[in-house]
Amino acid sequence: MNNTTNRGKVIIIVAPSGAGKTTLAKRLLKEHPSIRFSVSATTRPPREGEKNGEDYYFLTDEEFKRRIKKGHFLEWETYNGNRYGTLQSEVDKLVESGYFPLLDIEVKGALNVQKIYGSDAISIFIEPPSLEVLKNRLLNRGSETDASIKRRLERAEMEIEYAEDFDYTVTNDDLDTAYAEIQAIIEPFITD
């Protein structure tokens, strides 16, 4: 753990589906012990192997709604019929312990978190080199239907419009190059 007199910064990484955000985030977590993933809450059921409090906080819809009313979430949204949200208590606990919480969230929620934490946040938008490249990446996954690819591309177009609202934009044309750019952004703040 870091010296508790040092407050960590919140690292917000945002990207359209297929832009490489998860791969880049996992690498940051692996290489920087002071960066910790902020565990989100969801109403979807756990998938095989997922653990409560590790992968997500699995909440009932009623509990999620109760926490919304009490203002516990920094951001939340409904996606594919399930709710997902970032608990402020989780983020604050990590920051106050000197860690750098990593949030992997959607655009509008990220803008809200950025507003709440201000200079205590670093926001990075990962963009694909083009929508055509993004489409090919989604196709190569082999797990997407034509309809889901269409929805993801429409959402990506909307999300890319917000790129300039973030502190930094990194184009992921090459994973190692994009990672090096992210490293250069966060290195002045991170204390491993």
Side-chain angles (χ1 to χ4, degrees):
M1 186 183 326
N2 288 334
N3 180 339
T4 54
T5 60
N6 293 334
R7 288 176 53 89
K9 284 192 180 277
V10 178
I11 301 170
I12 306 164
I13 296 187
V14 180
S17 181
K21 171 180 61 171
T22 303
T23 303
L24 292 163
K26 283 181 179 175
R27 191 164 166 191
L28 280 173
L29 290 164
K30 183 179 178 188
E31 294 182 14
H32 294 280
S34 62
I35 297 176
R36 296 288 172 96
F37 187 69
S38 174
V39 179
S40 298
T42 185
T43 58
R44 79 159 172 74
R47 294 181 181 134
E48 189 176 327
E50 286 184 330
K51 294 184 176 119
N52 188 48
E54 217 173 279
D55 297 289
Y56 282 98
Y57 290 106
F58 296 100
L59 305 176
T60 64
D61 199 50
E62 294 75 32
E63 175 66 10
F64 203 101
K65 286 178 190 174
R66 187 182 69 73
R67 288 179 180 233
I68 290 169
K69 284 181 185 168
K70 290 190 170 200
H72 291 184
F73 290 104
L74 290 169
E75 59 82 37
W76 67 272
E77 73 166 322
T78 301
Y79 185 73
N80 283 343
N82 296 303
R83 297 179 201 268
Y84 294 84
T86 304
L87 292 162
Q88 184 163 0
S89 60
E90 273 297 296
V91 174
D92 288 347
K93 180 173 62 178
L94 290 169
V95 168
E96 289 163 10
S97 296
Y99 291 111
F100 297 82
L102 177 64
L103 281 72
D104 170 355
I105 54 180
E106 59 82 36
V107 168
K108 291 181 180 167
L111 293 171
N112 192 49
V113 173
Q114 184 175 270
K115 190 184 334 174
I116 291 167
Y117 286 95
S119 64
D120 285 332
I122 305 163
S123 62
I124 305 167
F125 188 91
I126 310 296
E127 65 180 2
S130 69
L131 286 174
E132 190 60 35
V133 168
L134 185 63
K135 181 180 180 181
N136 289 334
R137 288 179 184 172
L138 292 170
L139 285 168
N140 288 337
R141 282 182 174 176
S143 61
E144 305 285 336
T145 65
D146 288 344
S148 72
I149 289 173
K150 184 176 186 280
R151 277 194 311 273
R152 289 185 189 275
L153 289 173
E154 287 169 357
R155 184 174 175 117
E157 281 186 82
M158 176 276 293
E159 291 172 330
I160 289 168
E161 290 178 22
Y162 289 94
E164 65 188 32
D165 295 330
F166 292 89
D167 297 329
Y168 304 92
T169 301
V170 172
T171 302
N172 184 11
D173 196 8
D174 172 77
L175 206 57
D176 289 333
T177 302
Y179 184 75
E181 287 182 45
I182 294 169
Q183 285 271 76
I185 292 165
I186 66 168
E187 217 157 64
F189 307 103
I190 299 298
T191 52
D192 283 330

